[in-house]
Amino acid sequence: QMFVKKKHSNSEQVIALRQFLPKSLLYYIVDLLASKIKNKWQHWQWHPYNKTKENVFMSDSRGTRLGGVLQKLNYDVLHLHWINQRFIKLQDLPKDKPIVWTLHDSWPFCGVCHYFVDCKNYMTHCGNCPMLHSGKKKDLSYRIFKEKKSAYRDLNLHIVTPSHWLGECAKQSALFGRFPVIVIPNCLETGVYRPLSDQELEERLSVTIQQNPALHIVKRAVGEKAAKPFILYGAMNAATDRRKGLSCLLSALKLLDQEGFEANLFVFGASESDLPMQFEHINVHFVGYISDTDTLVTLYNLADLMVVPSLTENLSCAIMESMSCATPVCCFAIGGNSDMVEHLSNGYLAKEKDAEDLALGIRWCLDNNKDGSLSAAARQKVLDNYTIERVGKQYVDLYESIISK
């Protein structure tokens, strides 16, 4: 069964929060007033930290009233994924049921941040938070960290991380160090994210251009593909989120451009106004914001190389999706990237924040995939490790081991 804040299907397996809340007008009014008071309180809590770093994602511990649903439902294991944006309060978690928690970022074992970057406070006790620019030991991150420590005290927690890197971080954290930690990766629909035949690619491209005329530049560049390799870069907030490493990519491309390296760079997740850049030998094309899976798969298939210069990653969707489409990846050797990209085998792992090595990796991948060996190895890596069946089996085994105890 799946418990959700908002239900968008008719499935009886999906349980909506509203099924457990009173439907009276009085409850609605009281709940509305309570929400307004909580909003004011939250604003007051965050107000001293209005100089936080740009585009840094942070959350406090506020949640929604659940109407006792976690005590009323009948289940053997509670499996948490992402519970933020005012969904589940940590204090509402059941103490009489085993809980599996798959971490998709670091918020569960940090104070307020979802990505701790270079900070190590989570290993001891958050406070004097560099993300908040607080300069105070007992700041908001300190208080939320203390709340979490109290909330976790009597829980039967089993931590799952999609990457080995995040697993090690969880083990070293002051909040999760005493709980068992296991690595189970995210999975992918490998029948959707797959290599396309030339005919499929031509048909898919024609359809996507009809839906998004901005993609006509992709079709125009396909004819130049043999002479100029097709490099792809994209992410959510690709131009504005510093964690995506765009500045490192631009530095690497500048080095390649100075060497006379010719290529077509396609960028999704940003517009030209977000990211004005010009090179002498590298043509830059912007295809806008992609929300359609078929379009994304088409771009992955057209690309000779996907570059993911992120400065922090758990288990990158872009890397896994690209590799599943048999497109090798050049990225930094950070976070969970090495779980997927095997250096000089199915892609290239550049030294962290090293633009020169990133440039070297871009050239290496393009020069060493003329026989398709990197592409084949990238696809096989996904089929061997990240299919729904393989990952699902690991979760079934975990559930059964917990229940048997």
Side-chain angles (χ1 to χ4, degrees):
Q1 294 176 312
M2 182 181 291
F3 173 52
V4 298
K5 190 172 183 180
K6 293 182 180 179
K7 182 175 178 176
H8 300 286
S9 73
N10 295 321
S11 172
E12 294 182 359
Q13 296 290 100
V14 181
I15 303 163
L17 171 59
R18 58 182 173 80
Q19 295 174 223
F20 292 84
L21 300 179
K23 296 178 175 60
S24 68
L25 178 61
L26 178 61
Y27 178 86
Y28 174 79
I29 294 172
V30 171
D31 188 58
L32 183 63
L33 290 173
S35 294
K36 288 184 177 295
I37 293 170
K38 288 177 181 178
N39 284 338
K40 289 287 185 183
W41 167 247
Q42 186 182 43
H43 178 76
W44 181 85
Q45 281 194 111
W46 287 93
H47 180 69
Y49 312 107
N50 57 5
K51 294 183 179 179
T52 54
K53 290 184 178 180
E54 187 179 2
N55 292 310
V56 173
F57 188 33
M58 293 179 280
S59 303
D60 53 34
S61 57
R62 184 180 165 190
T64 301
R65 284 200 283 179
L66 299 183
V69 60
L70 296 180
Q71 284 69 42
K72 295 174 183 176
L73 290 172
N74 181 27
Y75 56 91
D76 297 297
V77 177
L78 174 63
H79 188 166
L80 305 176
H81 281 272
W82 206 75
I83 63 170
N84 298 101
Q85 291 194 320
R86 305 177 188 176
F87 187 24
I88 295 177
K89 287 182 65 174
L90 298 175
Q91 291 78 4
D92 289 337
L93 294 176
K95 294 178 174 56
D96 60 339
K97 299 278 188 179
I99 300 172
V100 173
W101 196 345
T102 298
L103 309 189
H104 297 285
D105 55 39
S106 60
W107 181 85
F109 60 79
C110 290
V112 294
C113 63
H114 290 259
Y115 305 95
F116 54 80
V117 192
D118 297 320
C119 179
K120 303 296 182 185
N121 289 350
Y122 70 90
M123 294 182 178
T124 52
H125 199 301
C126 285
N128 193 18
C129 179
M131 299 297 180
L132 292 173
H133 287 248
S134 67
K136 295 181 179 179
K137 179 182 178 181
K138 295 188 177 182
D139 57 14
L140 182 60
S141 71
Y142 178 94
R143 298 197 297 272
I144 300 299
F145 192 95
K146 190 175 180 180
E147 281 184 29
K148 290 180 179 179
K149 187 175 183 179
S150 176
Y152 297 157
R153 184 174 294 122
D154 299 320
L155 296 183
N156 180 6
L157 276 177
H158 302 261
I159 308 302
V160 175
T161 63
S163 69
H164 288 85
W165 164 78
L166 192 61
E168 288 304 310
C169 293
K171 290 175 184 177
Q172 294 170 13
S173 71
L175 292 179
F176 281 168
R178 66 187 180 90
F179 297 114
V181 178
I182 184 174
V183 177
I184 300 179
N186 297 329
C187 56
L188 191 71
E189 291 185 281
T190 53
V192 175
Y193 291 90
R194 61 182 176 85
L196 302 175
S197 67
D198 291 343
Q199 182 178 346
E200 283 181 301
L201 195 53
E202 181 67 28
E203 293 172 355
R204 186 80 67 87
L205 188 55
S206 298
V207 173
T208 55
I209 289 173
Q210 292 176 8
Q211 297 172 345
N212 185 352
L215 292 173
H216 75 278
I217 58 173
V218 177
K219 189 174 181 67
R220 190 170 68 234
V222 170
E224 305 173 15
K225 188 176 178 182
K228 292 185 178 182
F230 187 132
I231 300 172
L232 187 63
Y233 163 73
M236 185 180 293
N237 303 319
T240 56
D241 190 338
R242 287 184 298 172
R243 292 183 301 106
K244 302 304 178 183
L246 178 62
S247 61
C248 289
L249 174 61
L250 295 180
S251 297
L253 293 176
K254 186 176 180 180
L255 291 171
L256 291 170
D257 192 55
Q258 290 170 350
E259 297 171 3
F261 173 79
E262 293 188 338
N264 282 303
L265 173 69
F266 287 84
V267 179
F268 65 89
S271 63
E272 191 168 1
S273 60
D274 295 327
L275 189 61
M277 57 180 176
Q278 288 185 337
F279 301 99
E280 186 177 350
H281 304 285
I282 299 173
N283 300 321
V284 183
H285 310 280
F286 293 86
V287 296
Y289 295 84
I290 306 299
S291 57
D292 176 68
T293 300
D294 285 350
T295 301
L296 194 56
V297 170
T298 302
L299 288 173
Y300 286 136
N301 270 269
L302 286 169
D304 295 293
L305 177 67
M306 177 75 181
V307 182
V308 183
S310 303
L311 305 179
T312 177
E313 285 286 359
N314 178 9
L315 198 73
S316 167
C317 291
I319 291 177
M320 189 183 296
E321 291 166 359
S322 180
M323 291 176 63
S324 189
C325 293
T327 300
V329 174
C330 178
C331 59
F332 288 125
I334 53 94
N337 289 356
S338 60
D339 284 17
M340 296 178 287
V341 177
E342 298 175 6
H343 189 51
L344 306 184
S345 176
N346 60 20
Y348 192 97
L349 290 170
K351 299 170 187 174
E352 184 176 355
K353 298 180 183 179
D354 190 330
E356 188 173 347
D357 198 26
L358 188 66
L360 182 65
I362 292 171
R363 269 196 178 278
W364 187 90
C365 287
L366 294 172
D367 290 342
N368 288 273
N369 194 36
K370 291 181 171 59
D371 60 353
S373 57
L374 292 180
S375 295
R379 171 68 174 175
Q380 195 60 48
K381 177 74 175 184
V382 175
L383 293 177
D384 289 344
N385 296 278
Y386 308 121
T387 63
I388 291 173
E389 295 78 12
R390 184 175 292 272
V391 174
K393 177 65 164 56
Q394 293 178 67
Y395 272 115
V396 169
D397 291 344
L398 175 61
Y399 297 150
E400 290 180 342
S401 70
I402 291 171
I403 293 170
S404 68
K405 296 176 183 177

